[in-house]
Amino acid sequence: SQTIHQWPATLVQPVGSPLSLECTVEGTSNPNLYWYRQAAGRGLQLLFYSVGIGQISSEVPQNLSASRPQDRQFILSSKKLLLSDSGFYLCAWSVDLGRAGNTIYFGEGSWLTVV
Amino acid sequence: GQQVMQIPQYQHVQEGEDFTTYCNSSTTLSNIQWYKQRPGGHPVFLIQLVKSGEVKKQKRLTFQFGEAKKNSSLHITATQTTDVGTYFCAVTNQAGTALIFGKGTTLSVSS
């Protein structure tokens, strides 16, 4: 069966410090990978998605970047964190969403507080 | 890009009362999915609707897809405290490569 892991689960970072959140998926090949952010009152905002190694699509301009160095690894990064980067970050995976019946599976999430 | 509006943002009910959340799109949808996020947890898939006018039931939950495939609803009959959480609708983007979520409806239930 497929599993998704993301870490760290919680972190507190000072403004201006770098960020690295990592996500890995097991039990499937060539998954679509996603990073979402959940801030209070704003629902689930799609940040990045990737349909293959080295292929990253950014949905919103922001202080963050994503990379996919391996098929089942997805990394969310920032060089200098802002207070507004605080939130709950969720990694997710799916197979082809263009086919009816395929859904998205989320990791446990990472709580980021920028102070 | 694809967007979906979801209302209400918050709903508080007494245990035993019914609850409904609605999602609307300005464009025709190929399908719509519903997810539930328990407090402190991550969203979990509930159901997908594909056909015009489709109605699906999961115990006390009833999901509907509009005839024009532009709106959907989730109705919970006789809410229980275990129903608390945030309910999201989600639609695929035009490329079929990502899910775009509504802002969610957060349900609280008092006993």
Side-chain angles (χ1 to χ4, degrees):
Chain A
S1 63
Q2 300 86 6
T3 56
I4 179 170
H5 306 280
Q6 70 174 100
W7 66 94
T10 306
L11 65 166
V12 180
Q13 294 284 100
V15 170
S17 65
L19 170 74
S20 181
L21 299 178
E22 190 165 342
C23 172
T24 60
V25 179
E26 297 176 359
T28 187
S29 297
N30 195 31
N32 290 353
L33 296 172
Y34 311 90
W35 280 110
Y36 287 87
R37 176 170 60 199
Q38 188 170 28
R42 296 192 63 185
L44 284 164
Q45 182 185 31
L46 178 63
L47 301 177
F48 299 95
Y49 68 90
S50 171
V51 298
I53 295 175
Q55 300 178 60
I56 309 295
S57 297
S58 174
E59 287 296 294
V60 293
Q62 60 206 308
N63 184 40
L64 302 167
S65 61
S67 62
R68 185 171 178 172
Q70 300 181 44
D71 180 44
R72 291 169 290 176
Q73 183 185 26
F74 207 23
I75 298 171
L76 184 69
S77 304
S78 174
K79 292 182 179 178
K80 290 185 178 183
L81 284 168
L82 306 172
L83 287 174
S84 57
D85 291 324
S86 295
F88 188 43
Y89 288 82
L90 288 153
C91 182
W93 74 273
S94 75
V95 291
D96 181 10
L97 285 177
R99 291 179 176 270
N102 288 333
T103 63
I104 196 168
Y105 302 91
F106 287 90
E108 296 296 323
S110 299
W111 286 99
L112 169 66
T113 303
V114 182
V115 296
Chain B
Q2 184 66 272
Q3 285 188 335
V4 60
M5 304 302 293
Q6 187 173 358
I7 57 169
Q9 187 173 359
Y10 301 99
Q11 181 88 56
H12 177 78
V13 299
Q14 295 288 322
E15 190 172 23
E17 293 181 336
D18 293 353
F19 159 78
T20 306
T21 173
Y22 302 89
C23 279
N24 293 283
S25 169
S26 58
T27 60
T28 302
L29 304 169
S30 59
N31 63 82
I32 191 164
Q33 298 183 17
W34 286 92
Y35 290 75
K36 177 183 179 181
Q37 183 180 24
R38 295 183 185 276
H42 60 277
V44 174
F45 173 77
L46 292 176
I47 210 160
Q48 179 172 245
L49 304 172
V50 179
K51 299 177 182 177
S52 169
E54 189 170 18
V55 178
K56 287 188 176 180
K57 293 191 176 184
Q58 290 180 350
K59 298 183 180 178
R60 293 178 293 103
L61 277 61
T62 302
F63 304 84
Q64 289 189 304
F65 203 9
E67 293 289 343
K69 300 181 73 173
K70 290 186 176 183
N71 57 77
S72 181
S73 64
L74 158 58
H75 180 82
I76 302 178
T77 303
T79 55
Q80 299 175 0
T81 54
T82 53
D83 294 325
V84 298
T86 301
Y87 294 84
F88 293 96
C89 60
V91 300
T92 52
N93 62 0
Q94 287 186 334
T97 51
L99 274 185
I100 307 302
F101 285 79
K103 289 197 173 183
T105 297
T106 298
L107 172 65
S108 58
V109 180
S110 54
S111 55

